[in-house]
Amino acid sequence: MQESGNHRWGMVIDLNKCTGCGECVAACKVENNVAIVGAEESEMDRTMFWMDIITTHEGEYPDTEVTYFPRPCFHCDNPPCTKVCPVRATYRNDEGIVTQIFPQCIGCRYCMAACPYTVKSFNWFAPDWPEEMNSSLNPDVSVRPVGVVEKCTFCIHRLQKAKELARAEDRELREGDYLPACSESCPTDAISFGDLNDPHSEVNKLAKSLRAFRMLEELGTEPKVYYLSKVE
Amino acid sequence: MHDIRKYLVTLVKIMAIFMLWGSSWAQESFQPVQFNHDYHLGDLGLTCLDCHKNAKHQERASIPNIDICSECHEDEFDNVEADKVFEYISFETAIPWKRVHRVPDHAYFSHRRHVQLGEIDCIVCHGDVEQMAAPFERPFVNMDMNWCLDCHEKSQISDECSDCHR
């Protein structure tokens, strides 16, 4: 692993391995206290997912090819969302993570309009969980109030915890110390995560694979989430 | 003359009511047990980490309860407050301490980061607890963001937003 500060965190998702089970979506919801939106609001496109699954169909029935694209925030190296934020509630940090500072957000939603991948969600209402679930919220992630934008943070709280632990044990951060909830929970190991700057990391090698591509690469946003295309 | 006297008597009565009300209010203690930090730290020679066991290695310092108190309070002592503790232990009931130090929900604070990695003494944030004969009723300082940033700037520690807000 590289010295702290030289990291460039990224993700590689193998479409061959993804079965579309939705485990990553559920893990993300629970880890990050993402609000559950009812059917009525969902119909108005107000669903809230930090990790979503986009499903594509190719071919005519019965020879249909279904592909599942798990879709987190792509944490672009050249992010359009941060450039339009008037209050610096979202910015790209030194390690390439595009963070979202909820108490700073004024809810103007410029970033939502700027993001070509539509990864951001707006809190139209104050989040509401059944009483019994309140004690199961993750204390490491704040519950967002009404009127702010939110999105995947690559579980940055896990990075900070991993760094703290590594420093407390007087050692370098090792590969696998820091994994977002989606990557950790994937039952088929379709989601790899690590340091793209580390020449020995799995993601570094996978990102250089001939199968690797990124969403809407032509826009020049330089996403740090790579997909490995499906092969027979 | 008579009027002035009457006025003075009324004034004294009002003052007496306020004093009585004030003293009765003061007697109602904020915490369930009047824990004496001065005695435990000074006379008995305990350290903060003996009871707040997680303060060095975890994010939350932990407020000690009967599991830790019972290590020493095996019998009744000649002290009303200690007897209260013994009663909680006997009935296996948790002491309902009221939490005093709390950062807002949108801010994250880790004791490990400050105590173990930053090597900051407890007294910097919690005051001279060793001199305190009563438990906390309010924080030693107003723990707002400016107070945090003052120290971060002086110590040249990161002030990146996402380090504390998530």
Side-chain angles (χ1 to χ4, degrees):
Chain A
M1 277 276 163
Q2 305 272 308
E3 284 287 310
S4 180
N6 296 333
H7 302 298
R8 198 171 143 263
W9 303 105
M11 187 179 274
V12 181
I13 302 172
D14 191 337
L15 301 180
N16 253 5
K17 290 182 180 172
C18 180
T19 60
C21 71
E23 180 69 32
C24 53
V25 179
C28 173
K29 275 254 181 196
V30 174
E31 175 76 16
N32 294 295
N33 305 329
V34 182
I36 299 162
V37 179
E40 200 180 311
E41 293 299 316
S42 296
E43 277 185 9
M44 297 163 78
D45 280 344
R46 291 177 179 178
T47 49
M48 298 187 84
F49 289 109
W50 286 17
M51 167 64 101
D52 200 356
I53 294 184
I54 300 166
T55 312
T56 61
H57 302 263
E58 277 176 73
E60 290 293 317
Y61 181 82
D63 301 316
T64 318
E65 176 74 25
V66 181
T67 308
Y68 302 103
F69 291 84
R71 190 236 58 201
C73 168
F74 293 136
H75 293 271
C76 309
D77 272 341
N78 185 19
C81 58
T82 61
K83 296 188 177 94
V84 294
C85 180
V87 291
R88 202 173 178 267
T90 181
Y91 63 92
R92 182 186 173 282
N93 77 5
D94 292 343
E95 300 187 5
I97 296 178
V98 179
T99 63
Q100 190 85 23
I101 310 301
F102 308 117
Q104 186 86 348
C105 178
I106 56 169
C108 70
R109 288 174 281 149
Y110 283 2
C111 58
M112 288 177 75
C115 176
Y117 308 106
T118 64
V119 303
K120 300 206 172 196
S121 311
F122 184 67
N123 284 274
W124 289 94
F125 301 97
D128 188 24
W129 283 273
E131 182 70 29
E132 298 76 22
M133 280 184 72
N134 283 338
S135 58
S136 63
L137 295 174
N138 185 355
D140 293 334
V141 182
S142 63
V143 172
R144 279 74 62 190
V146 61
V148 304
V149 174
E150 61 180 63
K151 70 158 192 81
C152 154
T153 61
F154 266 172
C155 289
I156 193 168
H157 55 285
R158 288 187 170 213
L159 169 63
Q160 285 157 357
K161 277 196 168 188
K163 276 186 183 171
E164 251 181 64
L165 192 63
R167 271 187 64 196
E169 292 173 359
D170 198 22
R171 60 173 172 81
E172 291 285 300
L173 207 57
R174 292 187 294 243
E175 186 164 13
D177 276 353
Y178 162 43
L179 290 177
C182 55
S183 172
E184 190 180 59
S185 65
C186 181
T188 59
D189 291 332
I191 305 174
S192 306
F193 187 85
D195 185 1
L196 291 167
N197 274 358
D198 181 355
H200 307 294
S201 73
E202 188 192 4
V203 283
N204 182 300
K205 289 169 192 162
L206 292 174
K208 287 175 184 160
S209 152
L210 289 175
R211 288 168 60 207
F213 71 94
R214 293 177 291 180
M215 287 271 193
L216 304 178
E217 230 162 334
E218 65 278 12
L219 295 178
T221 52
E222 301 289 327
K224 285 194 289 297
V225 175
Y226 292 78
Y227 290 96
L228 299 182
S229 58
K230 262 188 162 180
V231 285
E232 290 298 317
Chain B
M1 189 65 191
H2 181 71
D3 279 353
I4 292 170
R5 214 167 142 183
K6 202 174 163 187
Y7 171 77
L8 280 173
V9 168
T10 315
L11 193 70
V12 167
K13 276 181 185 170
I14 292 170
M15 281 171 72
I17 289 168
F18 268 99
M19 280 169 74
L20 278 170
W21 178 74
S23 62
S24 67
W25 179 76
Q27 276 165 12
E28 261 181 50
S29 52
F30 179 77
Q31 298 285 5
V33 178
Q34 286 296 92
F35 181 85
N36 190 336
H37 276 100
D38 177 24
Y39 176 70
H40 286 81
L41 294 168
D43 295 7
L44 298 181
L46 293 171
T47 66
C48 306
L49 296 175
D50 286 333
C51 300
H52 298 279
K53 288 185 187 287
N54 295 344
K56 196 169 182 181
H57 302 290
Q58 304 282 333
E59 288 114 62
R60 289 164 188 84
S62 70
I63 301 173
N65 217 305
I66 52 168
D67 52 335
I68 290 167
C69 303
S70 62
E71 288 176 15
C72 300
H73 288 257
E74 290 169 332
D75 286 308
E76 288 186 69
F77 290 86
D78 189 19
N79 179 294
V80 182
E81 298 303 318
D83 287 348
K84 282 188 202 169
V85 173
F86 185 70
E87 204 170 308
Y88 281 114
I89 295 167
S90 308
F91 288 102
E92 292 184 8
T93 313
I95 306 169
W97 297 116
K98 286 179 188 147
R99 191 170 165 187
V100 172
H101 300 91
R102 189 188 289 276
V103 289
D105 182 44
H106 58 259
Y108 169 80
F109 178 85
S110 162
H111 270 90
R112 175 168 61 193
R113 203 187 284 182
H114 291 81
V115 179
Q116 189 180 9
L117 306 180
E119 295 177 2
I120 297 171
D121 270 341
C122 306
I123 59 166
V124 174
C125 306
H126 296 293
D128 199 357
V129 181
E130 208 167 314
Q131 304 293 322
M132 283 176 55
F136 276 100
E137 290 189 10
R138 62 188 69 82
F140 168 65
V141 283
N142 181 23
M143 294 172 173
D144 60 12
M145 198 170 97
N146 287 334
W147 177 73
C148 298
L149 283 175
D150 266 356
C151 194
H152 274 236
E153 276 167 22
K154 276 179 206 155
S155 316
Q156 293 182 316
I157 302 294
S158 160
D159 57 358
E160 198 195 308
C161 308
S162 65
D163 281 350
C164 306
H165 297 291
R166 44 174 88 160

